[in-house]
Amino acid sequence: MKLQTNPIKQYLLIAFASLLVISCKDSVQTNTAEVEKFKTTIKQKDSVINELKRQLGNISNDKRAPENIIQSDFAKKIYHLYNDREDLINEVVGKDGIGDPFKATRSLFYDIDELQKYIRYVKTKSRKAGEKPSGFRFYFALYPEDYVRNKEDKRYANRQTFFIAPTKEIKDAAGNIEHLGYTLDNNFKVELLTEKIGLDSRMDKDGNIQKGSFFSFNTAIEDEENSLIANELGASPPMGEEQ
């Protein structure tokens, strides 16, 4: 004799089985959604990390000294070889902005965080302009005789200083490579400092690099939103005395 199953029990079993299937599907969909969410988060964090790496540059774990490190004895020698020139400068200039005996610049201090901030700024602006800096060039300069610092300090008039600009690699007609300073105009167009203010090495009309060009000051004042030229990067004033 066949056993008859209670219809109510059959319905309950079918309903229970359906719930299990739906629950499993929902669980799979939920897990899939969470996995995709995590993947998206990881991609975003990877993007941020890569951007920071581009801004900061590759940090080497190499503990060997860079090739441009010099010994203190040699530093002492070349520092004091400048003494005669310092004396000559002091004699020629005579007085500083407040009438005291002039002391030629011998050192400057730059805050490391400000310097790193400047490098990141240059890389970010240059990347937007489609340019990759090849390095940085330091230009010796001179504050004018009417230069006033902080609206009252006149001691640094006529004092030597320098400013910094990123460089781009330029090849002349003969294949010689020169690293020329540049800045950006308000439309992120690269402007070589040889053309902007007339300094550094420049190329002649035949594409050959000429050496020893002079400053050509432009008295027109322009609001340059993307200038890459830096001076006094959170630094102390140029120091006349030894530090």
Side-chain angles (χ1 to χ4, degrees):
M1 184 176 68
K2 294 182 179 180
L3 294 174
Q4 292 184 350
T5 306
N6 190 324
I8 295 177
K9 288 185 178 180
Q10 288 181 338
Y11 292 137
L12 289 174
L13 288 172
I14 293 172
F16 181 70
S18 299
L19 286 173
L20 283 176
V21 172
I22 293 172
S23 176
C24 289
K25 288 184 177 179
D26 288 343
S27 177
V28 171
Q29 291 176 352
T30 300
N31 290 337
T32 302
E34 289 180 351
V35 169
E36 292 300 321
K37 182 179 179 180
F38 287 137
K39 286 183 178 179
T40 302
T41 301
I42 291 171
K43 288 181 180 179
Q44 291 173 344
K45 291 186 180 299
D46 284 343
S47 177
V48 171
I49 291 172
N50 290 332
E51 177 63 20
L52 289 173
K53 284 182 178 180
R54 283 194 296 268
Q55 290 184 9
L56 297 174
N58 293 326
I59 300 175
S60 174
N61 292 323
D62 192 349
K63 296 182 179 180
R64 293 175 297 178
E67 294 182 359
N68 55 0
I69 295 296
I70 63 174
Q71 302 301 307
S72 58
D73 286 344
F74 183 65
K76 177 181 179 180
K77 178 179 180 179
I78 60 177
Y79 181 87
H80 289 290
L81 281 174
Y82 193 82
N83 290 347
D84 290 342
R85 186 164 299 181
E86 176 189 9
D87 293 339
L88 179 61
I89 293 172
N90 293 340
E91 180 181 351
V92 170
V93 178
K95 303 290 184 179
D96 62 17
I98 60 175
D100 290 338
F102 187 81
K103 294 182 178 180
T105 301
R106 294 302 305 265
S107 68
L108 295 95
F109 164 75
Y110 275 74
D111 181 88
I112 189 170
D113 291 332
E114 288 295 325
L115 189 57
Q116 290 175 336
K117 180 180 178 181
Y118 169 66
I119 294 173
R120 291 195 298 270
Y121 167 82
V122 167
K123 287 185 175 182
T124 300
K125 288 280 189 178
S126 297
R127 186 163 57 250
K128 189 169 183 179
E131 189 65 47
K132 184 177 181 180
S134 62
F136 290 90
R137 188 175 288 276
F138 292 71
Y139 298 89
F140 294 105
L142 193 72
Y143 290 129
E145 61 182 10
D146 59 350
Y147 179 73
V148 178
R149 187 188 298 267
N150 299 327
K151 300 182 180 180
E152 58 184 22
D153 196 344
K154 300 180 180 179
R155 291 176 300 166
Y156 301 100
N158 293 324
R159 188 172 294 284
Q160 182 182 356
T161 184
F162 63 79
F163 59 87
I164 312 171
T167 59
K168 68 173 297 178
E169 190 176 282
I170 302 291
K171 184 180 292 186
D172 68 8
N176 299 314
I177 294 177
E178 182 83 351
H179 298 273
L180 301 184
Y182 71 89
T183 186
L184 302 175
D185 68 11
N186 290 349
N187 296 315
F188 288 93
K189 180 182 177 182
V190 172
E191 294 183 317
L192 294 179
L193 297 194
T194 55
E195 302 165 356
K196 184 67 176 176
I197 55 180
L199 52 78
D200 196 13
S201 303
R202 68 167 70 229
M203 291 184 178
D204 61 22
K205 63 181 180 179
D206 297 321
N208 297 311
I209 294 175
Q210 296 179 329
K211 304 291 183 181
S213 59
F214 297 96
F215 286 94
S216 63
F217 292 102
N218 185 352
T219 56
I221 298 176
E222 179 184 357
D223 184 15
E224 298 177 333
E225 299 175 358
N226 300 316
S227 175
L228 303 181
I229 306 170
N231 177 242
E232 299 180 18
L233 296 174
S236 68
M239 303 304 296
E241 59 275 6
E242 297 181 13
Q243 296 292 317

